[in-house]
Amino acid sequence: MEACHVDSIDEHEGLTQAADEGIEKFSSNIPIIAGVQNLKDSLKAILQGASMLRTHFKLKEDKPLIGETVKVLTKIADDIEGLNGKTDAELTTYLGGIKYPLAGLKNIIKTKKFPVPLFAEGGIILPTDVAMVMGLNADGCIASSLIFKVADPKRRIHSMIKAVQYYNNPAKLINYLEDS
């Protein structure tokens, strides 16, 4: 795939579930993107060598919904928050058979960030969607192809980019929400 100049590989969840340990990603120079639904999924994917995480959920009616994306991000945040203040023994119990380093887990709990980027994907078509997922600790977002069906896709994309930049600055963000 490297000879074909593939930019990244999105690991298919069905394939991951078919293998006990997922797919070994370290031998590839191509970044691997792994879909995750919670903290444990995220830790496993990182251990397996994922370069990037993205939210994952089962589609309802073949339409990605922003609400489902928010549920996944909230679940991850709740999982992390639930480990705050836990002892090493309690953290080890939480990990179960996951061989994630305790120091790395403690850093995730402290910073509320993974050592690889977490992108929100699913139903993101408005600048307000972008601001919301960024406010839920996503490092970025993957926009829905539906943005190309709006009246002015170029303006919408520009507004969504600005929403990433200003999600935590309402005074500036408001300038890019007029087409929401």
Side-chain angles (χ1 to χ4, degrees), residues 65-133:
L65 305 170
I66 186 64
E68 297 301 315
T69 300
V70 168
K71 284 181 190 175
V72 172
L73 290 170
T74 301
K75 173 67 174 142
I76 291 170
D78 289 348
D79 288 352
I80 292 170
E81 187 60 36
L83 296 177
N84 201 16
K86 300 285 184 186
T87 66
D88 286 3
E90 290 170 320
L91 293 176
T92 301
T93 299
Y94 172 80
L95 288 171
I98 303 170
K99 294 178 173 43
Y100 200 85
L102 216 48
L105 178 57
K106 287 179 179 181
N107 192 54
I108 291 168
I109 295 165
K110 179 181 175 185
T111 64
K112 299 184 182 357
K113 290 286 185 186
F114 293 108
V116 299
L118 170 63
F119 277 64
E121 176 185 33
I124 299 171
I125 57 174
L126 299 170
T128 51
D129 298 338
V130 172
M132 182 169 44
V133 299

Side-chain angles (χ1 to χ4, degrees), residues 17-46:
Q17 292 169 1
D20 289 339
E21 296 297 319
I23 297 175
E24 195 279 313
K25 301 162 188 69
F26 291 106
S27 60
S28 175
N29 290 323
I30 301 169
I32 306 289
I33 304 165
V36 298
Q37 295 182 327
N38 55 50
L39 177 59
K40 285 186 177 182
D41 284 353
S42 303
L43 299 176
K44 289 176 191 174
I46 294 166

